Every structure is written in C-alpha cells, then in structure tokens.
C-alpha cells in the first residue's frame, strides 16, 4: 500500500489534518506551519515517495513540538508569576502551604510542586523560607523587635523553629546577625 500514490496522499492528508487540529487546540493557526513548510496541496504534488513524505513530516513534527513547548513554557511562566506574587504577599501567614498556593493558581499540588521545582531550581519550601529569611534580616537590621516577635511577623508560629531555620540558612543566630549589622 505504501507504493500506491493515492494511499500515500490519503495518509498525508490524514496526518496533516491531525496536525492542524492539534495546533488549533493549543492556540496556533495552520499558517504558523504552512509559512515554513508549505501548503498541503503543494506538498502532496511535490512528495510522491514514502521516503520524501517521512522526511517532510519529520520536519513538520519537529516544528509542532517546538510550538507545543512554547505554549507549555508560557503557561508555566504565567502559573509561576501568579504563584510568586501570592507567596510574596502572603509569606507571613503561617497557614500558607504548597496546597494553598497550588489552589490559588488552579493546579494540582503534585503538578505545582513539580513545575515549581523544575522552573525555579528550588522547592516551594526553600523559596518560602528564602522570602521569610530575607524579611527577617531586614527586620533585624531596622527594628529592635525580639526574635520571637519577628518569627510571628514573618509567619512562624514557633520561635524556636524560626531560630533553628535562621541559623541553618544564614549560618549564624539572629542575635549574631543583628550585632554584625550594627
């Protein structure tokens, strides 16, 4: 059957319409492919051997995959921007969690965790802890508040845990940090 020109053209049209349908589903127009790879009516006339058809669709599938990846990157970028904005505004709430942020951006917690780690290069907890520690250092340098007050202000309900995390992430205690800053 692969030697039959009519059958080959039928298969080409079928594959082509699958590609068009997929592109439309992800938000592209067929023109995004036809500009670079030609109109299917011209292609059918031009490619009349199985090898040529395979070569043509190999190039087209590569282009479609790149377009799909662009859509995925944009979608992840939007999700991460919303998530980071939510975290930056709510880092001081002790109930903030991966689940609450995932719900805020309408993604499952598992998917959000995976996307966040891959795209940000750190886990959600590492990012949240970094934001909290940055604010803690700022408060230590600009106020006379006790460590326990700062802990509550940045979202930790346990001042001992805050002290542990501060020393772990900053390499010194909050008191040592404050005296160095002064």
């Amino acid at each position: 059957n692969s030697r039959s020109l009519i059958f080959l053209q039928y298969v080409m049209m079928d594959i082509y319409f699958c590609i068009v349908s997929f592109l439309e589903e992800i938000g592209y127009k067929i023109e995004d492919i036809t500009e670079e790879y030609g109109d299917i009516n011209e292609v059918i006339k031009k490619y009349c051997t199985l090898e040529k058809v395979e070569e043509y669709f190999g190039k087209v599938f590569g282009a479609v995959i790149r377009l799909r990846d662009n859509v995925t990157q944009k979608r992840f970028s939007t999700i991460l921007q919303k998530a980071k904005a939510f975290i930056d505004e709510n880092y001081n709430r002790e109930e903030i969690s991966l689940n609450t942020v995932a719900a805020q951006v309408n993604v499952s917690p598992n998917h959000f965790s995976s996307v966040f780690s891959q795209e940000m290069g750190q886990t959600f907890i590492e990012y949240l802890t970094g934001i909290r520690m940055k604010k803690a250092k700022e408060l230590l340098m600009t106020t006379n508040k006790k460590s326990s007050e700062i802990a509550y202000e940045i979202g930790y309900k346990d001042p001992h845990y805050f002290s542990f995390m501060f020393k772990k992430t900053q390499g010194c205690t909050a008191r040592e940090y404050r005296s160095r800053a002064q």
Side-chain angles (χ1 to χ4, degrees):
N1 285 343
S2 65
R3 296 180 198 267
S4 164
L5 185 58
I6 292 173
F7 182 74
L8 193 57
Q9 290 173 339
Y10 172 79
V11 170
M12 287 179 69
M13 290 299 288
D14 199 33
I15 293 171
Y16 183 80
F17 287 126
C18 286
I19 290 170
V20 169
S21 175
F22 177 74
L23 286 174
E24 288 173 348
E25 215 173 278
I26 63 171
Y28 284 97
K29 296 183 177 120
I30 189 55
E31 290 81 25
D32 296 320
I33 290 290
T34 57
E35 287 176 15
E36 193 171 342
Y37 296 101
D39 181 64
I40 190 64
N41 295 318
E42 297 167 17
V43 170
I44 285 178
K45 294 173 190 169
K46 191 171 160 184
Y47 296 100
C48 37
T49 67
L50 184 59
E51 292 76 25
K52 295 269 187 195
V53 170
E54 286 175 351
E55 180 184 328
Y56 171 77
F57 279 116
K59 292 175 185 174
V60 171
F61 284 137
V64 169
I65 288 170
R66 282 191 299 280
L67 292 173
R68 182 211 54 197
D69 290 347
N70 288 342
V71 168
T72 303
Q73 286 298 337
K74 288 177 190 171
R75 197 171 127 246
F76 288 161
S77 176
T78 303
I79 287 171
L80 290 175
Q81 287 173 353
K82 288 179 184 177
K84 286 173 23 180
F86 182 78
I87 294 166
D88 292 346
E89 292 171 18
N90 296 283
Y91 70 90
N92 58 343
R93 294 175 44 210
E94 69 179 64
E95 67 275 359
I96 192 170
S97 67
L98 184 130
N99 289 347
T100 58
V101 177
Q104 189 69 30
V105 295
N106 296 320
V107 178
S108 77
N110 286 340
H111 183 65
F112 176 71
S113 177
S114 173
V115 167
F116 193 92
S117 296
Q118 285 176 347
E119 299 299 316
M120 297 293 293
Q122 61 184 339
T123 66
F124 166 78
I125 292 297
E126 290 168 342
Y127 182 80
L128 177 60
T129 301
I131 298 286
R132 286 177 168 173
M133 291 302 132
K134 181 178 174 185
K135 184 65 175 175
K137 291 189 297 185
E138 182 183 308
L139 291 170
L140 285 166
M141 291 191 298
T142 60
T143 70
N144 289 325
K145 292 180 180 182
K146 297 178 184 178
S147 288
S148 59
E149 293 173 310
I150 292 174
Y152 293 124
E153 195 170 321
I154 64 168
Y156 289 106
K157 61 183 173 185
D158 182 357
H160 297 293
Y161 184 68
F162 163 71
S163 295
F164 167 77
M165 289 303 295
F166 192 90
K167 183 161 182 147
K168 180 180 175 185
T169 59
Q170 306 308 308
C172 63
T173 66
R175 180 177 292 166
E176 291 169 342
Y177 185 84
R178 179 176 271 160
S179 32
R180 281 187 211 160
Q182 292 173 349

